[in-house]
mmCIF file of all heavy atoms in Angstrom:
data_model
loop_
_atom_site.group_PDB
_atom_site.id
_atom_site.type_symbol
_atom_site.label_atom_id
_atom_site.label_comp_id
_atom_site.label_asym_id
_atom_site.label_seq_id
_atom_site.Cartn_x
_atom_site.Cartn_y
_atom_site.Cartn_z
ATOM 1 N N MET A 168 -84.251 -22.993 22.682
ATOM 2 C CA MET A 168 -83.278 -22.500 21.696
ATOM 3 C C MET A 168 -83.950 -21.563 20.701
ATOM 4 O O MET A 168 -85.082 -21.765 20.299
ATOM 5 C CB MET A 168 -82.664 -23.680 20.931
ATOM 6 C CG MET A 168 -81.545 -24.386 21.681
ATOM 7 S SD MET A 168 -80.026 -23.436 21.687
ATOM 8 C CE MET A 168 -79.442 -23.707 19.999
ATOM 9 N N ALA A 169 -83.202 -20.558 20.320
ATOM 10 C CA ALA A 169 -83.675 -19.647 19.287
ATOM 11 C C ALA A 169 -82.443 -19.049 18.624
ATOM 12 O O ALA A 169 -81.356 -19.084 19.191
ATOM 13 C CB ALA A 169 -84.523 -18.536 19.892
ATOM 14 N N TYR A 170 -82.637 -18.529 17.421
ATOM 15 C CA TYR A 170 -81.550 -17.803 16.780
ATOM 16 C C TYR A 170 -81.570 -16.355 17.261
ATOM 17 O O TYR A 170 -82.632 -15.806 17.611
ATOM 18 C CB TYR A 170 -81.703 -17.863 15.262
ATOM 19 C CG TYR A 170 -81.056 -19.089 14.635
ATOM 20 C CD1 TYR A 170 -81.492 -20.368 14.969
ATOM 21 C CD2 TYR A 170 -80.014 -18.969 13.725
ATOM 22 C CE1 TYR A 170 -80.896 -21.490 14.404
ATOM 23 C CE2 TYR A 170 -79.422 -20.087 13.145
ATOM 24 C CZ TYR A 170 -79.865 -21.349 13.495
ATOM 25 O OH TYR A 170 -79.278 -22.453 12.928
ATOM 26 N N VAL A 171 -80.392 -15.755 17.269
ATOM 27 C CA VAL A 171 -80.251 -14.352 17.647
ATOM 28 C C VAL A 171 -79.428 -13.659 16.555
ATOM 29 O O VAL A 171 -78.442 -14.220 16.073
ATOM 30 C CB VAL A 171 -79.521 -14.222 19.004
ATOM 31 C CG1 VAL A 171 -79.270 -12.758 19.349
ATOM 32 C CG2 VAL A 171 -80.332 -14.888 20.107
ATOM 33 N N ILE A 172 -79.845 -12.468 16.152
ATOM 34 C CA ILE A 172 -79.110 -11.702 15.145
ATOM 35 C C ILE A 172 -78.083 -10.818 15.854
ATOM 36 O O ILE A 172 -78.431 -10.020 16.721
ATOM 37 C CB ILE A 172 -80.080 -10.860 14.292
ATOM 38 C CG1 ILE A 172 -80.966 -11.789 13.458
ATOM 39 C CG2 ILE A 172 -79.310 -9.882 13.406
ATOM 40 C CD1 ILE A 172 -82.082 -11.094 12.693
ATOM 41 N N ASN A 173 -76.831 -10.972 15.473
ATOM 42 C CA ASN A 173 -75.785 -10.190 16.155
ATOM 43 C C ASN A 173 -75.543 -8.850 15.444
ATOM 44 O O ASN A 173 -76.176 -8.530 14.440
ATOM 45 C CB ASN A 173 -74.498 -11.017 16.319
ATOM 46 C CG ASN A 173 -73.803 -11.309 15.000
ATOM 47 O OD1 ASN A 173 -73.941 -10.566 14.035
ATOM 48 N ND2 ASN A 173 -73.050 -12.410 14.974
ATOM 49 N N ASN A 174 -74.616 -8.091 15.966
ATOM 50 C CA ASN A 174 -74.381 -6.732 15.488
ATOM 51 C C ASN A 174 -73.734 -6.650 14.107
ATOM 52 O O ASN A 174 -73.566 -5.556 13.573
ATOM 53 C CB ASN A 174 -73.526 -5.960 16.504
ATOM 54 C CG ASN A 174 -74.310 -5.609 17.756
ATOM 55 O OD1 ASN A 174 -75.521 -5.404 17.695
ATOM 56 N ND2 ASN A 174 -73.653 -5.567 18.900
ATOM 57 N N ASP A 175 -73.395 -7.793 13.517
ATOM 58 C CA ASP A 175 -72.870 -7.786 12.156
ATOM 59 C C ASP A 175 -73.971 -7.478 11.134
ATOM 60 O O ASP A 175 -73.681 -7.181 9.985
ATOM 61 C CB ASP A 175 -72.253 -9.143 11.819
ATOM 62 C CG ASP A 175 -70.973 -9.410 12.596
ATOM 63 O OD1 ASP A 175 -70.380 -8.453 13.113
ATOM 64 O OD2 ASP A 175 -70.581 -10.593 12.695
ATOM 65 N N CYS A 176 -75.231 -7.559 11.573
ATOM 66 C CA CYS A 176 -76.372 -7.321 10.682
ATOM 67 C C CYS A 176 -76.265 -5.962 10.001
ATOM 68 O O CYS A 176 -76.018 -4.950 10.641
ATOM 69 C CB CYS A 176 -77.670 -7.389 11.491
ATOM 70 S SG CYS A 176 -79.147 -6.922 10.561
ATOM 71 N N ILE A 177 -76.459 -5.983 8.658
ATOM 72 C CA ILE A 177 -76.404 -4.739 7.885
ATOM 73 C C ILE A 177 -77.815 -4.290 7.463
ATOM 74 O O ILE A 177 -77.962 -3.449 6.577
ATOM 75 C CB ILE A 177 -75.499 -4.898 6.639
ATOM 76 C CG1 ILE A 177 -75.946 -6.089 5.781
ATOM 77 C CG2 ILE A 177 -74.036 -5.080 7.066
ATOM 78 C CD1 ILE A 177 -75.226 -6.211 4.434
ATOM 79 N N SER A 178 -78.824 -4.869 8.111
ATOM 80 C CA SER A 178 -80.218 -4.484 7.864
ATOM 81 C C SER A 178 -80.618 -4.586 6.398
ATOM 82 O O SER A 178 -81.341 -3.724 5.885
ATOM 83 C CB SER A 178 -80.481 -3.055 8.376
ATOM 84 O OG SER A 178 -80.633 -3.063 9.780
ATOM 85 N N CYS A 179 -80.189 -5.654 5.734
ATOM 86 C CA CYS A 179 -80.534 -5.800 4.320
ATOM 87 C C CYS A 179 -81.970 -6.287 4.132
ATOM 88 O O CYS A 179 -82.556 -6.111 3.065
ATOM 89 C CB CYS A 179 -79.567 -6.763 3.634
ATOM 90 S SG CYS A 179 -79.781 -8.494 4.105
ATOM 91 N N GLY A 180 -82.510 -6.957 5.161
ATOM 92 C CA GLY A 180 -83.894 -7.415 5.097
ATOM 93 C C GLY A 180 -84.103 -8.756 4.435
ATOM 94 O O GLY A 180 -85.237 -9.231 4.339
ATOM 95 N N ALA A 181 -83.052 -9.397 3.958
ATOM 96 C CA ALA A 181 -83.190 -10.663 3.227
ATOM 97 C C ALA A 181 -83.810 -11.770 4.081
ATOM 98 O O ALA A 181 -84.528 -12.631 3.575
ATOM 99 C CB ALA A 181 -81.828 -11.110 2.703
ATOM 100 N N CYS A 182 -83.539 -11.756 5.355
ATOM 101 C CA CYS A 182 -84.002 -12.848 6.220
ATOM 102 C C CYS A 182 -85.495 -12.767 6.542
ATOM 103 O O CYS A 182 -86.147 -13.796 6.733
ATOM 104 C CB CYS A 182 -83.208 -12.845 7.519
ATOM 105 S SG CYS A 182 -83.262 -11.266 8.408
ATOM 106 N N GLU A 183 -86.021 -11.568 6.601
ATOM 107 C CA GLU A 183 -87.384 -11.398 7.115
ATOM 108 C C GLU A 183 -88.430 -12.241 6.373
ATOM 109 O O GLU A 183 -89.203 -12.954 7.009
ATOM 110 C CB GLU A 183 -87.764 -9.913 7.106
ATOM 111 C CG GLU A 183 -89.100 -9.663 7.781
ATOM 112 C CD GLU A 183 -89.473 -8.181 7.837
ATOM 113 O OE1 GLU A 183 -88.723 -7.336 7.307
ATOM 114 O OE2 GLU A 183 -90.528 -7.879 8.418
ATOM 115 N N PRO A 184 -88.468 -12.215 5.021
ATOM 116 C CA PRO A 184 -89.490 -13.016 4.332
ATOM 117 C C PRO A 184 -89.217 -14.509 4.365
ATOM 118 O O PRO A 184 -90.104 -15.304 4.019
ATOM 119 C CB PRO A 184 -89.449 -12.473 2.898
ATOM 120 C CG PRO A 184 -88.082 -11.902 2.742
ATOM 121 C CD PRO A 184 -87.699 -11.372 4.092
ATOM 122 N N GLU A 185 -88.023 -14.929 4.746
ATOM 123 C CA GLU A 185 -87.677 -16.355 4.764
ATOM 124 C C GLU A 185 -88.158 -17.059 6.024
ATOM 125 O O GLU A 185 -88.243 -18.285 6.067
ATOM 126 C CB GLU A 185 -86.155 -16.528 4.658
ATOM 127 C CG GLU A 185 -85.541 -15.966 3.388
ATOM 128 C CD GLU A 185 -86.148 -16.589 2.127
ATOM 129 O OE1 GLU A 185 -86.398 -17.800 2.137
ATOM 130 O OE2 GLU A 185 -86.374 -15.843 1.151
ATOM 131 N N CYS A 186 -88.482 -16.310 7.050
ATOM 132 C CA CYS A 186 -88.852 -16.936 8.323
ATOM 133 C C CYS A 186 -90.272 -17.502 8.259
ATOM 134 O O CYS A 186 -91.222 -16.768 7.996
ATOM 135 C CB CYS A 186 -88.755 -15.913 9.451
ATOM 136 S SG CYS A 186 -89.193 -16.634 11.055
ATOM 137 N N PRO A 187 -90.425 -18.807 8.496
ATOM 138 C CA PRO A 187 -91.744 -19.439 8.374
ATOM 139 C C PRO A 187 -92.717 -19.044 9.475
ATOM 140 O O PRO A 187 -93.921 -19.281 9.343
ATOM 141 C CB PRO A 187 -91.418 -20.943 8.443
ATOM 142 C CG PRO A 187 -90.142 -21.022 9.195
ATOM 143 C CD PRO A 187 -89.379 -19.777 8.836
ATOM 144 N N VAL A 188 -92.213 -18.457 10.537
ATOM 145 C CA VAL A 188 -93.110 -18.107 11.649
ATOM 146 C C VAL A 188 -93.145 -16.590 11.893
ATOM 147 O O VAL A 188 -93.617 -16.135 12.939
ATOM 148 C CB VAL A 188 -92.719 -18.860 12.942
ATOM 149 C CG1 VAL A 188 -92.937 -20.361 12.771
ATOM 150 C CG2 VAL A 188 -91.276 -18.571 13.349
ATOM 151 N N ASP A 189 -92.641 -15.815 10.927
ATOM 152 C CA ASP A 189 -92.664 -14.349 11.034
ATOM 153 C C ASP A 189 -92.051 -13.828 12.339
ATOM 154 O O ASP A 189 -92.595 -12.918 12.971
ATOM 155 C CB ASP A 189 -94.097 -13.815 10.900
ATOM 156 C CG ASP A 189 -94.555 -13.768 9.452
ATOM 157 O OD1 ASP A 189 -93.692 -13.663 8.560
ATOM 158 O OD2 ASP A 189 -95.767 -13.846 9.218
ATOM 159 N N ALA A 190 -90.938 -14.413 12.718
ATOM 160 C CA ALA A 190 -90.305 -14.020 13.980
ATOM 161 C C ALA A 190 -89.333 -12.852 13.823
ATOM 162 O O ALA A 190 -88.861 -12.310 14.810
ATOM 163 C CB ALA A 190 -89.570 -15.225 14.573
ATOM 164 N N ILE A 191 -89.040 -12.485 12.555
ATOM 165 C CA ILE A 191 -88.019 -11.464 12.309
ATOM 166 C C ILE A 191 -88.658 -10.132 11.970
ATOM 167 O O ILE A 191 -89.592 -10.054 11.166
ATOM 168 C CB ILE A 191 -87.090 -11.898 11.158
ATOM 169 C CG1 ILE A 191 -86.482 -13.279 11.460
ATOM 170 C CG2 ILE A 191 -85.981 -10.855 10.947
ATOM 171 C CD1 ILE A 191 -85.661 -13.856 10.304
ATOM 172 N N SER A 192 -88.155 -9.069 12.594
ATOM 173 C CA SER A 192 -88.651 -7.730 12.281
ATOM 174 C C SER A 192 -87.490 -6.745 12.327
ATOM 175 O O SER A 192 -86.426 -7.032 12.880
ATOM 176 C CB SER A 192 -89.735 -7.310 13.269
ATOM 177 O OG SER A 192 -89.232 -7.344 14.592
ATOM 178 N N GLU A 193 -87.725 -5.582 11.736
ATOM 179 C CA GLU A 193 -86.692 -4.562 11.705
ATOM 180 C C GLU A 193 -86.616 -3.887 13.062
ATOM 181 O O GLU A 193 -87.619 -3.390 13.577
ATOM 182 C CB GLU A 193 -86.996 -3.537 10.609
ATOM 183 C CG GLU A 193 -85.847 -2.572 10.367
ATOM 184 C CD GLU A 193 -86.073 -1.703 9.130
ATOM 185 O OE1 GLU A 193 -87.173 -1.766 8.544
ATOM 186 O OE2 GLU A 193 -85.141 -0.970 8.756
ATOM 187 N N GLY A 194 -85.422 -3.866 13.630
ATOM 188 C CA GLY A 194 -85.235 -3.230 14.920
ATOM 189 C C GLY A 194 -84.500 -1.910 14.778
ATOM 190 O O GLY A 194 -84.474 -1.320 13.697
ATOM 191 N N ASP A 195 -83.896 -1.479 15.826
ATOM 192 C CA ASP A 195 -83.184 -0.208 15.841
ATOM 193 C C ASP A 195 -81.749 -0.421 15.357
ATOM 194 O O ASP A 195 -80.874 -0.750 16.135
ATOM 195 C CB ASP A 195 -83.207 0.343 17.278
ATOM 196 C CG ASP A 195 -82.650 1.758 17.348
ATOM 197 O OD1 ASP A 195 -82.516 2.405 16.290
ATOM 198 O OD2 ASP A 195 -82.340 2.210 18.464
ATOM 199 N N GLY A 196 -81.543 -0.295 14.047
ATOM 200 C CA GLY A 196 -80.211 -0.472 13.484
ATOM 201 C C GLY A 196 -79.947 -1.864 12.951
ATOM 202 O O GLY A 196 -79.293 -2.017 11.936
ATOM 203 N N ILE A 197 -80.441 -2.874 13.624
ATOM 204 C CA ILE A 197 -80.316 -4.242 13.141
ATOM 205 C C ILE A 197 -81.681 -4.922 13.173
ATOM 206 O O ILE A 197 -82.598 -4.439 13.827
ATOM 207 C CB ILE A 197 -79.311 -5.078 13.975
ATOM 208 C CG1 ILE A 197 -79.784 -5.241 15.421
ATOM 209 C CG2 ILE A 197 -77.916 -4.468 13.923
ATOM 210 C CD1 ILE A 197 -78.955 -6.223 16.231
ATOM 211 N N TYR A 198 -81.791 -6.049 12.464
ATOM 212 C CA TYR A 198 -83.022 -6.832 12.540
ATOM 213 C C TYR A 198 -83.002 -7.674 13.811
ATOM 214 O O TYR A 198 -81.940 -8.004 14.336
ATOM 215 C CB TYR A 198 -83.171 -7.703 11.292
ATOM 216 C CG TYR A 198 -83.858 -6.970 10.146
ATOM 217 C CD1 TYR A 198 -83.279 -5.807 9.619
ATOM 218 C CD2 TYR A 198 -85.055 -7.413 9.613
ATOM 219 C CE1 TYR A 198 -83.903 -5.116 8.586
ATOM 220 C CE2 TYR A 198 -85.675 -6.729 8.571
ATOM 221 C CZ TYR A 198 -85.100 -5.583 8.061
ATOM 222 O OH TYR A 198 -85.723 -4.897 7.047
ATOM 223 N N VAL A 199 -84.187 -8.002 14.296
ATOM 224 C CA VAL A 199 -84.276 -8.754 15.552
ATOM 225 C C VAL A 199 -85.192 -9.966 15.384
ATOM 226 O O VAL A 199 -86.121 -9.970 14.571
ATOM 227 C CB VAL A 199 -84.795 -7.867 16.711
ATOM 228 C CG1 VAL A 199 -83.778 -6.802 17.066
ATOM 229 C CG2 VAL A 199 -86.134 -7.244 16.376
ATOM 230 N N ILE A 200 -84.918 -10.998 16.169
ATOM 231 C CA ILE A 200 -85.713 -12.223 16.173
ATOM 232 C C ILE A 200 -86.471 -12.316 17.494
ATOM 233 O O ILE A 200 -85.893 -12.147 18.563
ATOM 234 C CB ILE A 200 -84.810 -13.458 16.000
ATOM 235 C CG1 ILE A 200 -84.187 -13.468 14.603
ATOM 236 C CG2 ILE A 200 -85.591 -14.748 16.262
ATOM 237 C CD1 ILE A 200 -83.093 -14.514 14.405
ATOM 238 N N ASP A 201 -87.762 -12.589 17.389
ATOM 239 C CA ASP A 201 -88.562 -12.846 18.588
ATOM 240 C C ASP A 201 -88.309 -14.300 19.016
ATOM 241 O O ASP A 201 -88.776 -15.241 18.383
ATOM 242 C CB ASP A 201 -90.042 -12.632 18.273
ATOM 243 C CG ASP A 201 -90.945 -12.821 19.492
ATOM 244 O OD1 ASP A 201 -90.519 -13.505 20.452
ATOM 245 O OD2 ASP A 201 -92.069 -12.300 19.480
ATOM 246 N N GLY A 202 -87.550 -14.457 20.073
ATOM 247 C CA GLY A 202 -87.157 -15.785 20.527
ATOM 248 C C GLY A 202 -88.310 -16.666 20.977
ATOM 249 O O GLY A 202 -88.179 -17.887 21.026
ATOM 250 N N SER A 203 -89.439 -16.050 21.272
ATOM 251 C CA SER A 203 -90.598 -16.852 21.694
ATOM 252 C C SER A 203 -91.306 -17.481 20.502
ATOM 253 O O SER A 203 -92.122 -18.388 20.654
ATOM 254 C CB SER A 203 -91.579 -15.987 22.493
ATOM 255 O OG SER A 203 -92.195 -15.019 21.669
ATOM 256 N N LEU A 204 -90.991 -16.997 19.276
ATOM 257 C CA LEU A 204 -91.604 -17.533 18.063
ATOM 258 C C LEU A 204 -90.655 -18.434 17.281
ATOM 259 O O LEU A 204 -91.092 -19.367 16.608
ATOM 260 C CB LEU A 204 -92.055 -16.384 17.151
ATOM 261 C CG LEU A 204 -93.146 -15.452 17.684
ATOM 262 C CD1 LEU A 204 -93.384 -14.304 16.692
ATOM 263 C CD2 LEU A 204 -94.448 -16.205 17.902
ATOM 264 N N CYS A 205 -89.363 -18.147 17.350
ATOM 265 C CA CYS A 205 -88.350 -18.849 16.545
ATOM 266 C C CYS A 205 -88.374 -20.356 16.797
ATOM 267 O O CYS A 205 -88.372 -20.802 17.942
ATOM 268 C CB CYS A 205 -86.972 -18.294 16.875
ATOM 269 S SG CYS A 205 -85.623 -19.134 16.020
ATOM 270 N N ILE A 206 -88.414 -21.124 15.686
ATOM 271 C CA ILE A 206 -88.414 -22.590 15.797
ATOM 272 C C ILE A 206 -87.056 -23.180 15.407
ATOM 273 O O ILE A 206 -86.941 -24.373 15.150
ATOM 274 C CB ILE A 206 -89.535 -23.210 14.937
ATOM 275 C CG1 ILE A 206 -89.408 -22.772 13.466
ATOM 276 C CG2 ILE A 206 -90.913 -22.845 15.487
ATOM 277 C CD1 ILE A 206 -90.330 -23.521 12.501
ATOM 278 N N ASP A 207 -86.030 -22.292 15.319
ATOM 279 C CA ASP A 207 -84.666 -22.797 15.167
ATOM 280 C C ASP A 207 -84.425 -23.484 13.820
ATOM 281 O O ASP A 207 -83.642 -24.422 13.749
ATOM 282 C CB ASP A 207 -84.417 -23.810 16.308
ATOM 283 C CG ASP A 207 -83.043 -23.640 16.924
ATOM 284 O OD1 ASP A 207 -82.463 -22.555 16.796
ATOM 285 O OD2 ASP A 207 -82.554 -24.610 17.521
ATOM 286 N N CYS A 208 -85.085 -23.018 12.758
ATOM 287 C CA CYS A 208 -84.971 -23.720 11.481
ATOM 288 C C CYS A 208 -83.705 -23.373 10.713
ATOM 289 O O CYS A 208 -83.266 -24.113 9.847
ATOM 290 C CB CYS A 208 -86.190 -23.413 10.609
ATOM 291 S SG CYS A 208 -86.228 -21.728 9.963
ATOM 292 N N GLY A 209 -83.136 -22.180 10.987
ATOM 293 C CA GLY A 209 -81.894 -21.789 10.327
ATOM 294 C C GLY A 209 -82.059 -21.127 8.975
ATOM 295 O O GLY A 209 -81.069 -20.785 8.326
ATOM 296 N N ALA A 210 -83.300 -20.929 8.510
ATOM 297 C CA ALA A 210 -83.529 -20.330 7.195
ATOM 298 C C ALA A 210 -82.953 -18.919 7.108
ATOM 299 O O ALA A 210 -82.441 -18.508 6.065
ATOM 300 C CB ALA A 210 -85.022 -20.309 6.879
ATOM 301 N N CYS A 211 -83.024 -18.182 8.190
ATOM 302 C CA CYS A 211 -82.491 -16.811 8.189
ATOM 303 C C CYS A 211 -80.978 -16.824 8.018
ATOM 304 O O CYS A 211 -80.415 -16.022 7.264
ATOM 305 C CB CYS A 211 -82.883 -16.087 9.471
ATOM 306 S SG CYS A 211 -82.502 -16.991 10.991
ATOM 307 N N ALA A 212 -80.317 -17.745 8.691
ATOM 308 C CA ALA A 212 -78.859 -17.835 8.598
ATOM 309 C C ALA A 212 -78.435 -18.226 7.185
ATOM 310 O O ALA A 212 -77.403 -17.754 6.687
ATOM 311 C CB ALA A 212 -78.340 -18.843 9.615
ATOM 312 N N ASP A 213 -79.248 -19.067 6.531
ATOM 313 C CA ASP A 213 -78.908 -19.529 5.187
ATOM 314 C C ASP A 213 -78.873 -18.388 4.174
ATOM 315 O O ASP A 213 -78.099 -18.436 3.213
ATOM 316 C CB ASP A 213 -79.920 -20.582 4.711
ATOM 317 C CG ASP A 213 -79.770 -21.907 5.434
ATOM 318 O OD1 ASP A 213 -78.716 -22.125 6.070
ATOM 319 O OD2 ASP A 213 -80.699 -22.738 5.356
ATOM 320 N N VAL A 214 -79.716 -17.378 4.351
ATOM 321 C CA VAL A 214 -79.770 -16.295 3.360
ATOM 322 C C VAL A 214 -78.966 -15.067 3.771
ATOM 323 O O VAL A 214 -78.749 -14.175 2.964
ATOM 324 C CB VAL A 214 -81.225 -15.862 3.065
ATOM 325 C CG1 VAL A 214 -82.017 -17.020 2.480
ATOM 326 C CG2 VAL A 214 -81.906 -15.297 4.295
ATOM 327 N N CYS A 215 -78.504 -15.011 4.983
ATOM 328 C CA CYS A 215 -77.815 -13.805 5.456
ATOM 329 C C CYS A 215 -76.422 -13.672 4.843
ATOM 330 O O CYS A 215 -75.620 -14.596 4.936
ATOM 331 C CB CYS A 215 -77.701 -13.833 6.978
ATOM 332 S SG CYS A 215 -76.870 -12.353 7.617
ATOM 333 N N PRO A 216 -76.125 -12.518 4.243
ATOM 334 C CA PRO A 216 -74.819 -12.328 3.590
ATOM 335 C C PRO A 216 -73.670 -12.161 4.586
ATOM 336 O O PRO A 216 -72.509 -12.275 4.195
ATOM 337 C CB PRO A 216 -75.010 -11.049 2.759
ATOM 338 C CG PRO A 216 -76.092 -10.296 3.461
ATOM 339 C CD PRO A 216 -77.013 -11.352 4.024
ATOM 340 N N VAL A 217 -73.982 -11.871 5.827
ATOM 341 C CA VAL A 217 -72.905 -11.621 6.803
ATOM 342 C C VAL A 217 -72.968 -12.573 8.003
ATOM 343 O O VAL A 217 -72.311 -12.348 9.018
ATOM 344 C CB VAL A 217 -72.925 -10.154 7.298
ATOM 345 C CG1 VAL A 217 -72.614 -9.197 6.157
ATOM 346 C CG2 VAL A 217 -74.258 -9.800 7.944
ATOM 347 N N ASP A 218 -73.789 -13.636 7.879
ATOM 348 C CA ASP A 218 -73.828 -14.651 8.942
ATOM 349 C C ASP A 218 -74.220 -14.099 10.317
ATOM 350 O O ASP A 218 -73.712 -14.563 11.349
ATOM 351 C CB ASP A 218 -72.435 -15.289 9.081
ATOM 352 C CG ASP A 218 -72.451 -16.751 8.653
ATOM 353 O OD1 ASP A 218 -73.525 -17.225 8.243
ATOM 354 O OD2 ASP A 218 -71.397 -17.411 8.738
ATOM 355 N N ALA A 219 -75.112 -13.129 10.307
ATOM 356 C CA ALA A 219 -75.464 -12.491 11.589
ATOM 357 C C ALA A 219 -76.397 -13.327 12.464
ATOM 358 O O ALA A 219 -76.269 -13.295 13.689
ATOM 359 C CB ALA A 219 -76.072 -11.118 11.331
ATOM 360 N N PRO A 220 -77.329 -14.095 11.901
ATOM 361 C CA PRO A 220 -78.177 -14.923 12.787
ATOM 362 C C PRO A 220 -77.382 -16.142 13.269
ATOM 363 O O PRO A 220 -76.845 -16.905 12.480
ATOM 364 C CB PRO A 220 -79.346 -15.352 11.888
ATOM 365 C CG PRO A 220 -79.269 -14.474 10.675
ATOM 366 C CD PRO A 220 -77.814 -14.153 10.510
ATOM 367 N N GLN A 221 -77.310 -16.305 14.556
ATOM 368 C CA GLN A 221 -76.549 -17.411 15.146
ATOM 369 C C GLN A 221 -77.417 -18.130 16.165
ATOM 370 O O GLN A 221 -78.222 -17.502 16.844
ATOM 371 C CB GLN A 221 -75.305 -16.880 15.857
ATOM 372 C CG GLN A 221 -74.324 -16.132 14.976
ATOM 373 C CD GLN A 221 -73.489 -17.070 14.092
ATOM 374 O OE1 GLN A 221 -73.319 -18.245 14.423
ATOM 375 N NE2 GLN A 221 -72.991 -16.549 12.981
ATOM 376 N N PRO A 222 -77.232 -19.471 16.288
ATOM 377 C CA PRO A 222 -77.958 -20.183 17.333
ATOM 378 C C PRO A 222 -77.553 -19.621 18.693
ATOM 379 O O PRO A 222 -76.373 -19.377 18.934
ATOM 380 C CB PRO A 222 -77.496 -21.630 17.188
ATOM 381 C CG PRO A 222 -76.866 -21.719 15.839
ATOM 382 C CD PRO A 222 -76.347 -20.353 15.516
ATOM 383 N N GLU A 223 -78.520 -19.406 19.548
ATOM 384 C CA GLU A 223 -78.248 -18.817 20.851
ATOM 385 C C GLU A 223 -77.424 -19.775 21.706
ATOM 386 O O GLU A 223 -77.693 -20.966 21.715
ATOM 387 C CB GLU A 223 -79.565 -18.505 21.548
ATOM 388 C CG GLU A 223 -79.447 -17.575 22.727
ATOM 389 C CD GLU A 223 -80.837 -17.165 23.234
ATOM 390 O OE1 GLU A 223 -81.743 -17.994 23.261
ATOM 391 O OE2 GLU A 223 -80.992 -15.986 23.571
HETATM 392 FE FE1 LIG B 117 -87.235 -17.690 11.744
HETATM 393 FE FE2 LIG B 117 -85.999 -20.014 11.402
HETATM 394 FE FE3 LIG B 117 -84.561 -17.796 11.703
HETATM 395 FE FE4 LIG B 117 -85.909 -18.774 13.773
HETATM 396 S S1 LIG B 117 -84.160 -19.771 12.710
HETATM 397 S S2 LIG B 117 -85.860 -16.630 13.140
HETATM 398 S S3 LIG B 117 -87.733 -19.625 12.759
HETATM 399 S S4 LIG B 117 -85.937 -18.273 9.973
HETATM 400 FE FE1 LIG B 118 -79.399 -8.597 8.952
HETATM 401 FE FE2 LIG B 118 -78.540 -10.847 7.786
HETATM 402 FE FE3 LIG B 118 -81.165 -10.411 8.125
HETATM 403 FE FE4 LIG B 118 -79.797 -8.995 6.317
HETATM 404 S S1 LIG B 118 -80.182 -11.210 6.254
HETATM 405 S S2 LIG B 118 -81.325 -8.181 7.802
HETATM 406 S S3 LIG B 118 -77.808 -8.758 7.364
HETATM 407 S S4 LIG B 118 -79.627 -10.683 9.745
#
């Protein structure tokens, strides 16, 4: 299991510093989560203003 950021992402960057395993980075238009690093903690979803990170 990993979280995935959907297309609702507005690239605000709020989630990136919240990730304890540095799995989030800026992608092409939206932020992306490296599923091989994500530990499913939900911290990114908690801070996202548009609910873009969702459990896969
Ligand atoms: Fe990082 Fe947790 Fe979000 Fe996974 S669920 S990307 S570990 S903040
Ligand atoms: Fe995108 Fe939400 Fe992360 Fe902001 S907090 S970069 S809107 S996923």
Side-chain angles (χ1 to χ4, degrees):
M168 279 285 284
Y170 273 62
V171 175
I172 293 173
N173 68 26
N174 288 329
D175 291 342
C176 173
I177 55 172
S178 282
C179 71
C182 56
E183 187 178 3
E185 299 302 320
C186 180
V188 294
D189 281 334
I191 305 174
S192 58
E193 189 171 7
D195 188 15
I197 64 171
Y198 273 60
V199 292
I200 293 170
D201 183 338
S203 68
L204 296 175
C205 177
I206 56 170
D207 222 22
C208 71
C211 51
D213 288 344
V214 298
C215 181
V217 295
D218 247 1
Q221 300 284 336
E223 195 172 39

